[in-house]
Short mmCIF file of all heavy atoms in Angstrom, two decimals:
data_model
loop_
_atom_site.label_atom_id
_atom_site.label_comp_id
_atom_site.label_asym_id
_atom_site.label_seq_id
_atom_site.Cartn_x
_atom_site.Cartn_y
_atom_site.Cartn_z
N ILE A 127 -0.12 -23.50 -22.88
CA ILE A 127 -0.03 -24.05 -24.22
C ILE A 127 0.68 -22.99 -25.11
O ILE A 127 0.28 -21.79 -25.22
CB ILE A 127 -1.46 -24.26 -24.80
CG1 ILE A 127 -2.12 -25.38 -23.91
CG2 ILE A 127 -1.39 -24.81 -26.21
CD1 ILE A 127 -3.51 -25.65 -24.52
N ASN A 128 1.80 -23.35 -25.70
CA ASN A 128 2.52 -22.50 -26.51
C ASN A 128 2.27 -22.95 -27.97
O ASN A 128 2.27 -24.14 -28.27
CB ASN A 128 3.96 -22.47 -26.29
CG ASN A 128 4.38 -21.92 -25.00
OD1 ASN A 128 3.74 -20.91 -24.54
ND2 ASN A 128 5.20 -22.51 -24.22
N THR A 129 1.96 -22.05 -28.93
CA THR A 129 1.65 -22.34 -30.31
C THR A 129 2.78 -21.84 -31.31
O THR A 129 3.49 -20.92 -31.01
CB THR A 129 0.41 -21.73 -30.65
OG1 THR A 129 0.45 -20.28 -30.61
CG2 THR A 129 -0.74 -22.14 -29.84
N VAL A 130 2.95 -22.65 -32.36
CA VAL A 130 3.88 -22.34 -33.32
C VAL A 130 3.19 -22.25 -34.81
O VAL A 130 2.48 -23.10 -35.08
CB VAL A 130 4.96 -23.37 -33.45
CG1 VAL A 130 5.96 -22.99 -34.59
CG2 VAL A 130 5.82 -23.50 -32.23
N ASN A 131 3.25 -20.99 -35.36
CA ASN A 131 2.62 -20.63 -36.44
C ASN A 131 1.15 -21.02 -36.57
O ASN A 131 0.62 -21.75 -37.41
CB ASN A 131 3.25 -21.48 -37.66
CG ASN A 131 4.61 -20.98 -37.96
OD1 ASN A 131 5.05 -19.80 -37.62
ND2 ASN A 131 5.54 -21.84 -38.40
N PRO A 132 0.36 -20.29 -35.64
CA PRO A 132 -1.11 -20.45 -35.84
C PRO A 132 -1.61 -19.84 -37.01
O PRO A 132 -1.30 -18.63 -37.35
CB PRO A 132 -1.65 -19.81 -34.48
CG PRO A 132 -0.61 -18.84 -34.15
CD PRO A 132 0.67 -19.37 -34.58
N TYR A 133 -2.54 -20.51 -37.78
CA TYR A 133 -3.11 -20.03 -39.02
C TYR A 133 -4.56 -20.25 -39.13
O TYR A 133 -5.06 -21.39 -38.61
CB TYR A 133 -2.41 -20.69 -40.16
CG TYR A 133 -2.99 -20.48 -41.58
CD1 TYR A 133 -2.79 -19.39 -42.16
CD2 TYR A 133 -3.97 -21.45 -42.03
CE1 TYR A 133 -3.51 -19.13 -43.50
CE2 TYR A 133 -4.50 -21.27 -43.24
CZ TYR A 133 -4.36 -20.01 -44.00
OH TYR A 133 -5.01 -19.82 -45.16
N VAL A 134 -5.30 -19.42 -39.58
CA VAL A 134 -6.84 -19.55 -39.76
C VAL A 134 -7.28 -19.20 -41.18
O VAL A 134 -6.66 -18.16 -41.73
CB VAL A 134 -7.57 -18.69 -38.77
CG1 VAL A 134 -9.04 -18.71 -39.09
CG2 VAL A 134 -7.35 -19.15 -37.41
N LEU A 135 -7.96 -20.00 -41.83
CA LEU A 135 -8.63 -19.60 -43.10
C LEU A 135 -10.10 -19.06 -42.78
O LEU A 135 -10.91 -19.95 -42.27
CB LEU A 135 -8.65 -20.80 -44.01
CG LEU A 135 -9.57 -20.75 -45.32
CD1 LEU A 135 -9.00 -19.56 -46.20
CD2 LEU A 135 -9.64 -22.04 -45.98
N TYR A 136 -10.38 -17.86 -43.20
CA TYR A 136 -11.69 -17.31 -43.01
C TYR A 136 -12.27 -17.32 -44.34
O TYR A 136 -12.03 -16.44 -45.25
CB TYR A 136 -11.66 -15.99 -42.45
CG TYR A 136 -12.94 -15.34 -42.23
CD1 TYR A 136 -13.88 -15.79 -41.17
CD2 TYR A 136 -13.40 -14.13 -42.93
CE1 TYR A 136 -15.04 -15.21 -40.89
CE2 TYR A 136 -14.58 -13.64 -42.69
CZ TYR A 136 -15.46 -14.06 -41.76
OH TYR A 136 -16.58 -13.53 -41.44
N GLU A 137 -13.17 -18.25 -44.75
CA GLU A 137 -13.78 -18.38 -46.08
C GLU A 137 -15.24 -18.01 -46.00
O GLU A 137 -16.02 -18.49 -45.24
CB GLU A 137 -13.65 -19.75 -46.55
CG GLU A 137 -13.99 -19.94 -47.92
CD GLU A 137 -13.85 -21.44 -48.43
OE1 GLU A 137 -12.96 -22.18 -47.84
OE2 GLU A 137 -14.56 -21.89 -49.31
N LEU A 138 -15.56 -16.99 -46.90
CA LEU A 138 -16.94 -16.48 -46.94
C LEU A 138 -17.59 -16.82 -48.35
O LEU A 138 -17.10 -16.53 -49.26
CB LEU A 138 -16.87 -14.91 -46.74
CG LEU A 138 -18.24 -14.18 -46.53
CD1 LEU A 138 -18.78 -14.64 -45.17
CD2 LEU A 138 -17.91 -12.66 -46.53
N GLN A 139 -18.63 -17.51 -48.12
CA GLN A 139 -19.53 -17.92 -49.35
C GLN A 139 -20.84 -17.05 -49.19
O GLN A 139 -21.69 -17.56 -48.37
CB GLN A 139 -19.76 -19.34 -49.35
CG GLN A 139 -18.51 -20.31 -49.47
CD GLN A 139 -18.03 -20.11 -50.91
OE1 GLN A 139 -18.61 -19.57 -51.82
NE2 GLN A 139 -16.73 -20.52 -51.16
N GLY A 140 -20.89 -15.96 -49.91
CA GLY A 140 -22.08 -15.15 -49.73
C GLY A 140 -22.08 -14.59 -48.31
O GLY A 140 -21.22 -13.87 -47.93
N ALA A 141 -23.19 -14.88 -47.49
CA ALA A 141 -23.21 -14.34 -46.15
C ALA A 141 -22.78 -15.40 -45.15
O ALA A 141 -22.81 -15.07 -43.99
CB ALA A 141 -24.69 -13.89 -45.91
N GLN A 142 -22.38 -16.40 -45.56
CA GLN A 142 -22.03 -17.57 -44.62
C GLN A 142 -20.57 -17.89 -44.66
O GLN A 142 -19.95 -17.91 -45.60
CB GLN A 142 -22.76 -18.91 -45.04
CG GLN A 142 -22.44 -20.02 -44.18
CD GLN A 142 -22.97 -20.05 -42.79
OE1 GLN A 142 -23.66 -19.10 -42.46
NE2 GLN A 142 -22.74 -21.10 -41.97
N SER A 143 -19.97 -17.89 -43.42
CA SER A 143 -18.50 -18.18 -43.36
C SER A 143 -18.30 -19.59 -42.70
O SER A 143 -19.30 -20.10 -42.13
CB SER A 143 -17.75 -17.10 -42.43
OG SER A 143 -18.05 -17.39 -41.06
N ASN A 144 -17.06 -20.09 -43.04
CA ASN A 144 -16.74 -21.36 -42.51
C ASN A 144 -16.74 -21.58 -41.03
O ASN A 144 -17.23 -22.43 -40.32
CB ASN A 144 -15.52 -21.90 -43.06
CG ASN A 144 -14.29 -20.87 -42.87
OD1 ASN A 144 -14.56 -19.83 -42.54
ND2 ASN A 144 -13.08 -21.33 -43.12
N ILE A 145 -16.27 -20.39 -40.43
CA ILE A 145 -16.25 -20.42 -38.86
C ILE A 145 -17.59 -20.36 -38.34
O ILE A 145 -17.90 -20.89 -37.32
CB ILE A 145 -15.38 -19.11 -38.43
CG1 ILE A 145 -13.92 -19.38 -38.91
CG2 ILE A 145 -15.39 -18.88 -36.93
CD1 ILE A 145 -12.97 -18.16 -38.56
N ASP A 146 -18.59 -19.52 -38.98
CA ASP A 146 -19.80 -19.50 -38.41
C ASP A 146 -20.71 -20.78 -38.63
O ASP A 146 -21.55 -21.14 -37.83
CB ASP A 146 -20.58 -18.39 -39.10
CG ASP A 146 -20.23 -16.92 -38.41
OD1 ASP A 146 -19.92 -17.04 -37.29
OD2 ASP A 146 -20.35 -15.95 -39.06
N ALA A 147 -20.27 -21.50 -39.65
CA ALA A 147 -20.85 -22.82 -39.86
C ALA A 147 -20.54 -23.74 -38.62
O ALA A 147 -21.35 -24.57 -38.23
CB ALA A 147 -20.41 -23.37 -41.13
N ILE A 148 -19.26 -23.59 -38.22
CA ILE A 148 -18.93 -24.49 -36.99
C ILE A 148 -19.57 -23.81 -35.69
O ILE A 148 -20.04 -24.60 -34.87
CB ILE A 148 -17.37 -24.33 -36.79
CG1 ILE A 148 -16.63 -25.06 -37.97
CG2 ILE A 148 -16.95 -25.14 -35.52
CD1 ILE A 148 -16.90 -26.52 -38.12
N ARG A 149 -19.64 -22.55 -35.51
CA ARG A 149 -20.12 -21.89 -34.41
C ARG A 149 -21.62 -22.25 -34.32
O ARG A 149 -22.14 -22.28 -33.09
CB ARG A 149 -19.96 -20.43 -34.47
CG ARG A 149 -20.27 -19.75 -33.14
CD ARG A 149 -19.90 -18.31 -33.22
NE ARG A 149 -20.51 -17.53 -34.30
CZ ARG A 149 -20.37 -16.23 -34.33
NH1 ARG A 149 -19.92 -15.52 -33.41
NH2 ARG A 149 -21.06 -15.55 -35.31
N ALA A 150 -22.38 -22.51 -35.29
CA ALA A 150 -23.74 -22.82 -35.32
C ALA A 150 -24.03 -24.14 -34.57
O ALA A 150 -25.14 -24.39 -34.06
CB ALA A 150 -24.30 -22.99 -36.68
N ARG A 151 -22.95 -25.03 -34.33
CA ARG A 151 -23.13 -26.21 -33.60
C ARG A 151 -23.29 -26.00 -32.07
O ARG A 151 -23.64 -26.85 -31.44
CB ARG A 151 -21.97 -27.12 -33.81
CG ARG A 151 -21.91 -27.64 -35.32
CD ARG A 151 -20.69 -28.61 -35.45
NE ARG A 151 -20.64 -29.53 -34.43
CZ ARG A 151 -21.18 -30.75 -34.50
NH1 ARG A 151 -21.91 -31.11 -35.52
NH2 ARG A 151 -20.91 -31.66 -33.44
N PHE A 152 -22.92 -24.78 -31.58
CA PHE A 152 -22.93 -24.55 -30.18
C PHE A 152 -24.10 -23.67 -29.87
O PHE A 152 -24.23 -22.46 -30.18
CB PHE A 152 -21.57 -23.94 -29.77
CG PHE A 152 -20.35 -24.62 -30.16
CD1 PHE A 152 -19.64 -24.43 -31.26
CD2 PHE A 152 -19.93 -25.68 -29.25
CE1 PHE A 152 -18.49 -25.22 -31.56
CE2 PHE A 152 -18.83 -26.46 -29.59
CZ PHE A 152 -18.12 -26.16 -30.70
N PRO A 153 -24.96 -24.31 -29.18
CA PRO A 153 -26.26 -23.41 -28.60
C PRO A 153 -25.86 -22.31 -27.75
O PRO A 153 -24.76 -22.32 -27.15
CB PRO A 153 -27.14 -24.50 -27.97
CG PRO A 153 -26.06 -25.59 -27.49
CD PRO A 153 -25.07 -25.62 -28.63
N ALA A 154 -26.75 -21.38 -27.53
CA ALA A 154 -26.47 -20.27 -26.71
C ALA A 154 -26.38 -20.68 -25.16
O ALA A 154 -25.53 -20.11 -24.46
CB ALA A 154 -27.60 -19.22 -26.76
N GLN A 155 -27.06 -21.73 -24.87
CA GLN A 155 -27.01 -22.30 -23.68
C GLN A 155 -26.45 -23.68 -23.60
O GLN A 155 -26.75 -24.58 -24.37
CB GLN A 155 -28.38 -22.33 -22.96
CG GLN A 155 -29.08 -21.01 -22.73
CD GLN A 155 -28.40 -20.07 -21.73
OE1 GLN A 155 -27.74 -20.63 -20.74
NE2 GLN A 155 -28.41 -18.80 -21.85
N GLU A 156 -25.55 -23.92 -22.62
CA GLU A 156 -24.95 -25.32 -22.54
C GLU A 156 -26.01 -26.37 -22.19
O GLU A 156 -26.68 -26.14 -21.27
CB GLU A 156 -23.84 -25.35 -21.46
CG GLU A 156 -22.51 -24.90 -21.98
CD GLU A 156 -21.84 -25.92 -22.89
OE1 GLU A 156 -22.42 -26.97 -23.06
OE2 GLU A 156 -20.77 -25.57 -23.49
N SER A 157 -26.06 -27.39 -22.99
CA SER A 157 -26.99 -28.40 -22.57
C SER A 157 -26.32 -29.42 -21.64
O SER A 157 -25.02 -29.28 -21.36
CB SER A 157 -27.45 -29.24 -23.84
OG SER A 157 -26.21 -29.85 -24.45
N ALA A 158 -27.04 -30.13 -20.89
CA ALA A 158 -26.54 -31.07 -19.81
C ALA A 158 -25.62 -32.15 -20.61
O ALA A 158 -26.07 -32.64 -21.68
CB ALA A 158 -27.69 -31.73 -19.10
N PRO A 159 -24.46 -32.43 -20.07
CA PRO A 159 -23.72 -33.50 -20.72
C PRO A 159 -24.28 -34.79 -20.74
O PRO A 159 -24.93 -35.13 -19.88
CB PRO A 159 -22.38 -33.38 -19.80
CG PRO A 159 -22.80 -32.90 -18.43
CD PRO A 159 -23.97 -31.87 -18.76
N GLU A 160 -23.99 -35.55 -21.90
CA GLU A 160 -24.54 -36.91 -22.02
C GLU A 160 -23.72 -37.78 -21.22
O GLU A 160 -22.43 -37.63 -20.93
CB GLU A 160 -24.47 -37.23 -23.54
CG GLU A 160 -25.26 -36.38 -24.40
CD GLU A 160 -25.18 -36.75 -25.89
OE1 GLU A 160 -24.42 -37.84 -26.16
OE2 GLU A 160 -25.81 -36.16 -26.71
N PRO A 161 -24.30 -38.80 -20.66
CA PRO A 161 -23.65 -39.85 -19.99
C PRO A 161 -22.47 -40.47 -20.72
O PRO A 161 -22.62 -40.68 -21.90
CB PRO A 161 -24.71 -40.87 -19.67
CG PRO A 161 -26.05 -40.26 -19.71
CD PRO A 161 -25.81 -39.20 -20.87
N GLU A 162 -21.34 -40.56 -19.99
CA GLU A 162 -20.16 -41.17 -20.75
C GLU A 162 -19.95 -42.69 -20.41
O GLU A 162 -20.21 -43.00 -19.21
CB GLU A 162 -18.95 -40.24 -20.38
CG GLU A 162 -19.04 -38.90 -20.95
CD GLU A 162 -18.12 -37.95 -20.35
OE1 GLU A 162 -17.26 -38.43 -19.46
OE2 GLU A 162 -17.95 -36.80 -20.65
N ALA A 163 -19.47 -43.32 -21.23
CA ALA A 163 -19.30 -44.75 -21.12
C ALA A 163 -17.90 -45.04 -20.28
O ALA A 163 -16.93 -44.66 -20.79
CB ALA A 163 -19.13 -45.56 -22.39
N GLY A 164 -18.09 -45.43 -19.04
CA GLY A 164 -16.90 -45.72 -18.25
C GLY A 164 -16.23 -44.43 -17.68
O GLY A 164 -16.51 -43.27 -18.15
N PRO A 165 -15.46 -44.57 -16.62
CA PRO A 165 -14.71 -43.44 -16.06
C PRO A 165 -13.70 -42.76 -17.01
O PRO A 165 -13.10 -43.42 -17.79
CB PRO A 165 -14.04 -44.02 -14.83
CG PRO A 165 -13.83 -45.45 -15.16
CD PRO A 165 -15.03 -45.76 -16.08
N GLN A 166 -13.64 -41.37 -16.95
CA GLN A 166 -12.70 -40.73 -17.77
C GLN A 166 -11.91 -39.72 -16.98
O GLN A 166 -12.47 -39.11 -15.85
CB GLN A 166 -13.41 -39.97 -18.97
CG GLN A 166 -14.09 -40.91 -19.93
CD GLN A 166 -14.37 -40.08 -21.30
OE1 GLN A 166 -13.56 -39.47 -21.79
NE2 GLN A 166 -15.51 -40.33 -21.87
N PRO A 167 -10.78 -39.41 -17.29
CA PRO A 167 -9.91 -38.50 -16.47
C PRO A 167 -10.47 -37.00 -16.59
O PRO A 167 -11.15 -36.70 -17.66
CB PRO A 167 -8.51 -38.58 -17.15
CG PRO A 167 -8.86 -38.96 -18.64
CD PRO A 167 -10.02 -39.91 -18.44
N VAL A 168 -10.29 -36.29 -15.55
CA VAL A 168 -10.75 -34.87 -15.59
C VAL A 168 -9.54 -34.02 -15.80
O VAL A 168 -8.50 -34.22 -15.11
CB VAL A 168 -11.46 -34.47 -14.21
CG1 VAL A 168 -11.84 -33.07 -14.24
CG2 VAL A 168 -12.74 -35.35 -14.01
N ILE A 169 -9.68 -33.20 -16.76
CA ILE A 169 -8.49 -32.19 -17.11
C ILE A 169 -8.90 -30.83 -16.82
O ILE A 169 -9.98 -30.35 -17.17
CB ILE A 169 -8.05 -32.59 -18.54
CG1 ILE A 169 -7.78 -33.95 -18.82
CG2 ILE A 169 -6.95 -31.55 -18.97
CD1 ILE A 169 -7.48 -34.24 -20.33
N GLY A 170 -7.99 -30.15 -16.18
CA GLY A 170 -8.15 -28.75 -15.92
C GLY A 170 -7.18 -27.94 -16.78
O GLY A 170 -6.01 -28.12 -16.90
N LEU A 171 -7.63 -26.79 -17.44
CA LEU A 171 -6.83 -26.01 -18.23
C LEU A 171 -6.83 -24.64 -17.78
O LEU A 171 -7.93 -24.01 -17.57
CB LEU A 171 -7.45 -26.01 -19.71
CG LEU A 171 -6.89 -25.06 -20.79
CD1 LEU A 171 -5.47 -25.50 -21.08
CD2 LEU A 171 -7.64 -25.05 -22.06
N ASP A 172 -5.59 -24.13 -17.43
CA ASP A 172 -5.47 -22.72 -16.96
C ASP A 172 -5.84 -21.80 -18.22
O ASP A 172 -5.67 -22.26 -19.38
CB ASP A 172 -4.12 -22.41 -16.52
CG ASP A 172 -3.96 -23.17 -15.20
OD1 ASP A 172 -4.81 -23.67 -14.63
OD2 ASP A 172 -2.82 -23.21 -14.73
N ALA A 173 -6.05 -20.51 -17.93
CA ALA A 173 -6.34 -19.60 -19.06
C ALA A 173 -5.23 -19.57 -19.99
O ALA A 173 -4.05 -19.53 -19.58
CB ALA A 173 -6.53 -18.17 -18.45
N VAL A 174 -5.55 -19.49 -21.31
CA VAL A 174 -4.51 -19.54 -22.42
C VAL A 174 -4.72 -18.37 -23.36
O VAL A 174 -5.86 -18.10 -23.76
CB VAL A 174 -4.55 -20.83 -23.16
CG1 VAL A 174 -3.62 -20.97 -24.34
CG2 VAL A 174 -4.08 -22.06 -22.22
N THR A 175 -3.72 -17.77 -23.78
CA THR A 175 -3.71 -16.77 -24.86
C THR A 175 -2.89 -17.31 -26.09
O THR A 175 -1.72 -17.63 -25.93
CB THR A 175 -3.04 -15.41 -24.41
OG1 THR A 175 -3.86 -14.90 -23.30
CG2 THR A 175 -3.10 -14.37 -25.54
N ILE A 176 -3.64 -17.31 -27.33
CA ILE A 176 -2.98 -17.63 -28.52
C ILE A 176 -2.74 -16.40 -29.20
O ILE A 176 -3.58 -15.59 -29.60
CB ILE A 176 -3.83 -18.60 -29.39
CG1 ILE A 176 -4.35 -19.80 -28.52
CG2 ILE A 176 -3.19 -18.96 -30.68
CD1 ILE A 176 -5.23 -20.75 -29.32
N SER A 177 -1.37 -16.13 -29.57
CA SER A 177 -0.99 -14.81 -29.97
C SER A 177 -0.56 -14.82 -31.37
O SER A 177 -0.12 -15.91 -31.88
CB SER A 177 0.14 -14.18 -29.06
OG SER A 177 -0.19 -14.18 -27.79
N GLY A 178 -0.73 -13.78 -32.14
CA GLY A 178 -0.20 -13.53 -33.41
C GLY A 178 -0.77 -14.51 -34.44
O GLY A 178 -0.12 -15.11 -35.25
N ILE A 179 -2.11 -14.70 -34.55
CA ILE A 179 -2.77 -15.62 -35.41
C ILE A 179 -2.81 -15.02 -36.79
O ILE A 179 -3.38 -14.00 -37.03
CB ILE A 179 -4.14 -15.93 -34.91
CG1 ILE A 179 -4.17 -16.49 -33.55
CG2 ILE A 179 -4.79 -16.87 -35.96
CD1 ILE A 179 -5.52 -16.67 -33.01
N GLN A 180 -2.14 -15.69 -37.72
CA GLN A 180 -2.21 -15.25 -39.17
C GLN A 180 -3.41 -15.91 -39.87
O GLN A 180 -3.75 -17.00 -39.56
CB GLN A 180 -0.81 -15.67 -39.90
CG GLN A 180 0.44 -15.04 -39.33
CD GLN A 180 0.37 -13.56 -39.25
OE1 GLN A 180 0.09 -12.92 -40.35
NE2 GLN A 180 0.69 -12.94 -38.18
N ALA A 181 -3.93 -15.15 -40.83
CA ALA A 181 -5.10 -15.65 -41.50
C ALA A 181 -5.15 -15.20 -42.94
O ALA A 181 -4.40 -14.24 -43.34
CB ALA A 181 -6.36 -15.00 -40.75
N SER A 182 -5.93 -16.04 -43.67
CA SER A 182 -6.09 -15.80 -45.07
C SER A 182 -7.73 -15.54 -45.27
O SER A 182 -8.39 -16.42 -44.76
CB SER A 182 -5.68 -16.83 -45.87
OG SER A 182 -6.00 -16.69 -47.22
N LEU A 183 -8.05 -14.45 -45.75
CA LEU A 183 -9.46 -14.20 -46.01
C LEU A 183 -9.85 -14.45 -47.42
O LEU A 183 -9.13 -13.93 -48.33
CB LEU A 183 -9.82 -12.68 -45.77
CG LEU A 183 -9.52 -12.04 -44.30
CD1 LEU A 183 -9.90 -10.61 -44.24
CD2 LEU A 183 -10.01 -12.88 -43.14
N GLN A 184 -10.73 -15.39 -47.67
CA GLN A 184 -11.24 -15.74 -49.00
C GLN A 184 -12.69 -15.49 -49.06
O GLN A 184 -13.41 -15.87 -48.13
CB GLN A 184 -10.83 -17.15 -49.29
CG GLN A 184 -9.37 -17.40 -49.27
CD GLN A 184 -8.99 -18.84 -49.62
OE1 GLN A 184 -9.75 -19.64 -50.28
NE2 GLN A 184 -7.67 -19.29 -49.37
N SER A 185 -13.18 -14.99 -50.21
CA SER A 185 -14.54 -14.71 -50.45
C SER A 185 -14.83 -14.67 -51.90
O SER A 185 -13.96 -14.28 -52.73
CB SER A 185 -14.87 -13.44 -49.75
OG SER A 185 -16.21 -13.11 -50.14
N ASN A 186 -16.02 -15.05 -52.34
CA ASN A 186 -16.48 -14.88 -53.73
C ASN A 186 -16.64 -13.34 -54.15
O ASN A 186 -16.85 -13.04 -55.22
CB ASN A 186 -17.71 -15.71 -54.03
CG ASN A 186 -18.81 -15.36 -53.03
OD1 ASN A 186 -18.53 -14.67 -52.06
ND2 ASN A 186 -20.00 -15.70 -53.39
N LEU A 187 -16.48 -12.53 -53.11
CA LEU A 187 -16.64 -11.10 -53.27
C LEU A 187 -15.20 -10.42 -53.39
O LEU A 187 -15.15 -9.23 -53.58
CB LEU A 187 -17.44 -10.45 -52.06
CG LEU A 187 -18.72 -10.94 -51.88
CD1 LEU A 187 -19.40 -10.29 -50.53
CD2 LEU A 187 -19.73 -10.77 -53.01
N LEU A 188 -14.19 -11.15 -53.20
CA LEU A 188 -12.82 -10.73 -53.35
C LEU A 188 -12.10 -11.29 -54.51
O LEU A 188 -12.31 -12.57 -54.81
CB LEU A 188 -12.05 -11.05 -52.10
CG LEU A 188 -12.44 -10.34 -50.74
CD1 LEU A 188 -11.59 -10.94 -49.58
CD2 LEU A 188 -12.19 -8.87 -50.83
#
Side-chain angles (χ1 to χ4, degrees):
I127 299 178
N128 293 321
T129 63
V130 177
N131 294 333
Y133 168 83
V134 172
L135 168 66
Y136 183 71
E137 186 175 337
L138 192 63
Q139 296 290 345
Q142 175 76 359
S143 78
N144 55 344
I145 295 178
D146 281 331
I148 297 293
R149 190 170 60 167
R151 291 180 52 86
F152 300 97
Q155 298 292 330
E156 275 287 358
S157 57
E160 298 180 0
E162 296 168 356
Q166 295 201 42
V168 176
I169 301 173
L171 173 65
D172 291 352
V174 171
T175 298
I176 303 175
S177 305
I179 302 174
Q180 299 302 309
S182 177
L183 306 182
Q184 296 184 15
S185 170
N186 53 350
L187 304 176
L188 293 172

